[in-house]
């Protein structure tokens, strides 16, 4: 049981590091403000297929890592008690 807790702690640290890197690599929401003034971004190909862009994939990976973070943290809490 102690080995599993150590493995989960190491996984939690790695997930935290990956989350920090992914969040810092993403653009802010205000980066697209210029397109909001000129309009028409949502009607372009990139606007319609935003999930297929590298930014969309990074956002998806961030949500997956966030879910893994919560699962591993809950598992550690349950196993530690």
């Amino acid at each position: 049981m102690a080995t599993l807790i150590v493995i989960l702690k190491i996984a939690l640290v790695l997930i935290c590091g990956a989350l920090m890197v992914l969040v810092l690599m993403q653009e802010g929401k205000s980066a697209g403000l210029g397109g909001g003034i000129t309009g028409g971004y949502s009607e372009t190909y990139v606007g319609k297929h935003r999930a297929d862009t590298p930014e969309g994939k990074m956002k998806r990976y961030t949500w997956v890592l966030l879910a893994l973070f919560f699962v591993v943290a809950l598992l550690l809490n349950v196993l530690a008690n």
Side-chain angles (χ1 to χ4, degrees), residues 48-65:
K48 291 180 181 178
H49 300 284
R50 198 173 318 174
D52 297 333
T53 63
E55 292 84 15
K57 289 179 183 177
M58 279 197 308
K59 187 175 181 180
R60 190 177 323 127
Y61 296 149
T62 304
W63 281 107
V64 169
L65 282 176

Side-chain angles (χ1 to χ4, degrees), residues 26-49:
Q26 292 180 15
E27 295 179 358
K29 288 191 180 241
S30 63
L33 187 60
I37 294 172
T38 59
Y41 178 72
S42 62
E43 296 177 11
T44 63
Y45 179 80
V46 176
K48 291 180 181 178
H49 300 284

Side-chain angles (χ1 to χ4, degrees), residues 1-80:
M1 188 64 75
T3 307
L4 181 62
I5 291 175
V6 170
I7 291 171
L8 286 175
K9 285 182 181 180
I10 292 171
L12 190 67
V13 169
L14 292 175
I15 291 170
C16 287
L19 267 173
M20 286 189 290
V21 169
L22 276 175
V23 168
L24 289 174
M25 286 176 56
Q26 292 180 15
E27 295 179 358
K29 288 191 180 241
S30 63
L33 187 60
I37 294 172
T38 59
Y41 178 72
S42 62
E43 296 177 11
T44 63
Y45 179 80
V46 176
K48 291 180 181 178
H49 300 284
R50 198 173 318 174
D52 297 333
T53 63
E55 292 84 15
K57 289 179 183 177
M58 279 197 308
K59 187 175 181 180
R60 190 177 323 127
Y61 296 149
T62 304
W63 281 107
V64 169
L65 282 176
L66 183 67
L68 279 173
F69 172 81
F70 280 117
V71 168
V72 171
L74 285 173
L75 279 173
L76 273 173
N77 190 19
V78 168
L79 293 176

